[in-house]
Amino acid sequence: MSRKVTDKAVGNRPARHVKTIIIGSGFAGLGLAIRLSKQGRNDYLVLERGSDVGGTWRDNTYPGAACDVPSHLYSYSFALNPNWSRSFSKQGEIQRYIQGVARAYNVLDKHLFNCDVTAARWNSATNLWHIESTQGSFTANTVVSAVGALCEPALPDIKGINGFEGQIFHSARWNHDADLAGKRVAIIGTGASAIQIVPSIAPQVAHLDVYQRTAPWLLPRMDRPYTLPERLAFRHIPGLQRLSRAAIYAARETQVVGLAKVPALMQAFELIAKAKLQLEIRDPELRAKVTPNFRIGCKRMLISNDYYPALSRPNVDVVSDGIAEVRANSIVTKDGTEREIDALIVATGFHVTDSPTYNAISGKDGRTLAEVFDEIGQQGYKGSAVASFPNMFFLLGPNVGLGHTSMVYMIESQINYIADALATIDRLGLRTIEVRRAIQDAYNKDLQAKLVKSVWNTGGCASWYLDKHGNNTTLWPDFTFEFRRLTKNFDVSAYATTAVDTSRNDLKVVAQ
């Protein structure tokens, strides 16, 4: 049971103490909550700034939103869903799945929704995390950040954009009250969200300008509805769904050889993408405009069957001249052309290597995570811990991202590691744990060495995978089963620890 401690009061309320606080309840935070409940570790609380579970699948409700990983793989291994309607699920179906899992495992009463964490500070005197939020203050022995990489929209720094007088919104904060029918619309960006939005709105708008800075590589989207007999088979034939999941996983994992180890092998994917481009865009001028100038895989590979046909519509123009400024009702490109618009959609991605949430977390030396990352780059240990931030773990931390398969696999690997860490803390009677700096440095040196020959570093592009130091601090540079092996058990020897002296009532901390 949680106990009350007097930390910093909010009104007349003392700070609430919880043994473990999880920040965020997307796939990662929810998965960890379920694991803790299964282990009987019920003194935890999930602080979620939104009104429901789901994370990015709750927030990204733009037209056409869907997953680019097959449904049977993009789900928890402990909560397979035989009722997926199609091979690649859409946003609404994924969100309903996440909600259903939360209800099935009875963890919603461990959530505090509409609770935005404004500060998390380590207190070396109390050896506790002190947390401020929009719903009061908390202290915790351990904090787990499950804040996803794709949660903080990145807005472009374009002259005059704040003075635009029409409808303007980010793709991740879609304004469903905005009526785009018959309007002149512009969309900035040609990434994963944009290629789903463009085909969805092009038929209804009067005109659509697609502002492209870098043309993406597109592969076919092998999507289809599942038939009723297939769904019945998944439901009633033992092991069939797991077999399907394993086959999808194995097929996806083969891409790692080209992406991370022998980039020349990506030419096979490039030939497929070029053939698709040739078949779907007949206009030579447009085809030249949307042909990428870097090796496939250097940026995120996208899948779509309707993006290129949408670009070929008579009411759609691809603009690649670069934006000089945004005016009250128009966009001016660098060649001086002014195009009038009624609505502006910003699909410019997210703060991945520079998330604003890093400014709210302060470690043992008083520096924020943002300040630490600004100095050394976004570095961690097994994507799960960062030196100088004791008793804190990260789900979806540095170098855990993927460009080829399901992030849920990586999340479950980290959940294994963190759950074992919490069990180790209890078993050994530890008060604090902190990854050793030398261990973290060696781990990251090895990561960057593996990345040197990868397509992400040699493919000739600049991507959101790279931080300001030029290092790829986003992606995992090896097979995902290798990450699963590394995170199977918590390696306490990699951490500096202190133990609780139980011979005294004041819980004196002694160094180990």
Side-chain angles (χ1 to χ4, degrees):
M1 180 177 294
S2 298
R3 60 185 173 88
K4 303 289 185 179
V5 298
T6 302
D7 173 33
K8 179 179 178 181
V10 178
N12 294 321
R13 291 181 298 163
R16 176 183 175 184
H17 181 79
V18 186
K19 191 171 184 179
T20 303
I21 280 181
I22 303 168
I23 304 174
S25 190
F27 262 109
L30 176 61
L32 180 59
I34 291 170
R35 175 67 66 85
L36 296 185
S37 289
K38 282 183 173 181
Q39 293 181 337
R41 300 179 181 279
N42 294 312
D43 191 5
Y44 73 88
L45 187 65
V46 183
L47 306 183
E48 169 54 57
R49 71 179 181 181
S51 60
D52 199 354
V53 296
T56 190
W57 295 107
R58 177 199 61 227
D59 295 340
N60 283 268
T61 60
Y62 59 79
C67 191
D68 57 5
V69 175
S71 306
H72 288 300
L73 187 58
Y74 197 78
S75 53
Y76 294 118
S77 64
F78 58 83
L80 300 187
N81 176 22
N83 299 313
W84 290 118
S85 67
R86 57 191 313 112
S87 51
F88 288 83
S89 302
K90 296 184 178 181
Q91 174 268 331
E93 189 170 14
I94 297 173
Q95 175 63 1
R96 289 190 295 273
Y97 165 78
I98 298 171
Q99 291 169 323
V101 172
R103 290 193 300 269
Y105 284 90
N106 297 312
V107 295
L108 290 175
D109 62 342
K110 292 292 187 178
H111 283 67
L112 190 57
F113 292 109
N114 300 307
C115 181
D116 193 8
V117 172
T118 56
R121 303 183 183 91
W122 174 254
N123 188 317
S124 295
T126 62
N127 287 309
L128 295 173
W129 280 96
H130 293 214
I131 296 166
E132 303 298 328
S133 78
T134 53
Q135 293 207 35
S137 301
F138 303 86
T139 59
N141 300 85
T142 308
V143 170
V144 180
S145 171
V147 178
L150 307 182
C151 70
E152 294 291 340
L155 299 175
D157 183 17
I158 299 175
K159 177 183 176 182
I161 195 168
N162 292 327
F164 182 68
E165 295 179 354
Q167 294 276 2
I168 180 171
F169 47 89
H170 193 279
S171 58
R173 301 291 183 267
W174 193 269
N175 181 1
H176 290 277
D177 293 328
D179 183 8
L180 302 180
K183 302 290 181 62
R184 299 166 298 180
V185 180
I187 182 168
I188 301 176
T190 53
S193 298
I195 69 158
Q196 295 179 340
I197 293 169
V198 168
S200 300
I201 67 172
Q204 60 176 294
V205 303
H207 189 82
L208 178 62
D209 290 322
V210 180
Y211 284 86
Q212 170 189 281
R213 183 174 61 179
T214 306
W217 282 111
L218 263 63
L219 292 169
R221 185 178 184 86
M222 310 302 287
D223 188 23
R224 65 175 181 83
Y226 284 124
T227 64
L228 177 59
E230 285 177 306
R231 295 199 298 274
L232 289 173
F234 286 135
R235 191 179 307 151
H236 297 294
I237 299 178
L240 179 60
Q241 191 173 5
R242 291 202 178 276
L243 180 62
S244 174
R245 178 184 173 96
I248 295 169
Y249 171 80
R252 290 263 166 164
E253 204 68 2
T254 60
Q255 296 181 27
V256 175
V257 180
L259 290 169
K261 300 179 182 298
V262 188
L265 295 178
M266 295 305 295
Q267 291 177 1
F269 289 95
E270 199 164 305
L271 288 173
I272 296 171
K274 286 180 177 178
K276 176 182 176 64
L277 179 60
Q278 185 79 19
L279 288 170
E280 295 182 357
I281 294 187
R282 295 297 186 180
D283 178 20
E285 184 178 345
L286 176 59
R287 188 188 308 136
K289 189 179 290 187
V290 299
T291 298
N293 59 0
F294 54 89
R295 176 168 288 174
I296 193 169
C298 184
K299 287 178 176 285
R300 181 178 174 182
M301 293 183 290
L302 307 179
I303 57 174
S304 176
N305 295 333
D306 50 12
Y307 180 67
Y308 286 152
L311 298 185
S312 300
R313 292 176 59 92
N315 68 327
V316 176
D317 285 327
V318 176
V319 183
S320 58
D321 296 318
I323 299 174
E325 66 173 313
V326 176
R327 295 178 180 172
N329 300 107
S330 64
I331 293 179
V332 181
T333 49
K334 292 179 179 178
D335 65 352
T337 303
E338 182 175 7
R339 296 173 176 85
E340 293 187 354
I341 56 172
D342 305 303
L344 176 57
I345 301 166
V346 181
T348 48
F350 301 85
H351 290 281
V352 177
T353 60
D354 60 343
S355 173
T357 61
Y358 298 158
N359 291 300
I361 301 172
S362 301
K364 69 177 185 180
D365 59 4
R367 291 191 301 164
T368 65
L369 195 59
E371 291 172 328
V372 171
F373 285 168
D374 185 65
E375 178 183 334
I376 66 172
Q378 187 176 257
Q379 297 180 15
Y381 179 63
K382 298 185 178 181
S384 304
V386 176
S388 297
F389 292 81
N391 289 25
M392 187 170 203
F393 294 100
F394 297 83
L395 286 163
L396 301 171
N399 287 105
V400 175
L402 301 173
H404 69 288
T405 192
S406 175
M407 278 304 303
V408 183
Y409 184 91
M410 300 294 276
I411 287 169
E412 290 195 27
S413 299
Q414 287 192 284
I415 288 173
N416 293 338
Y417 187 76
I418 294 170
D420 193 39
L422 297 177
T424 301
I425 290 171
D426 289 348
R427 185 177 69 254
L428 299 182
L430 302 179
R431 188 71 182 272
T432 67
I433 62 170
E434 178 193 346
V435 65
R436 301 177 189 274
R437 171 72 66 182
I439 296 289
Q440 178 176 297
D441 289 346
Y443 177 81
N444 281 277
K445 183 178 180 180
D446 181 62
L447 276 182
Q448 294 304 318
K450 287 183 177 180
L451 283 160
V452 166
K453 295 182 179 180
S454 73
V455 70
W456 307 303
N457 282 38
T458 64
C461 72
S463 74
W464 54 267
Y465 297 148
L466 308 180
D467 67 11
K468 73 172 191 176
H469 302 279
N471 293 321
N472 186 332
T473 57
T474 305
L475 296 178
W476 172 246
D478 209 331
F479 295 106
T480 60
F481 55 76
E482 177 65 13
F483 185 78
R484 176 68 58 93
R485 183 189 67 79
L486 289 175
T487 53
K488 182 178 180 180
N489 300 110
F490 179 66
D491 49 345
V492 68
S493 61
Y495 292 73
T497 64
T498 60
V500 176
D501 183 355
T502 56
S503 66
R504 295 184 55 179
N505 293 329
D506 62 357
L507 300 181
K508 178 182 177 181
V509 177
V510 295
Q512 283 193 336

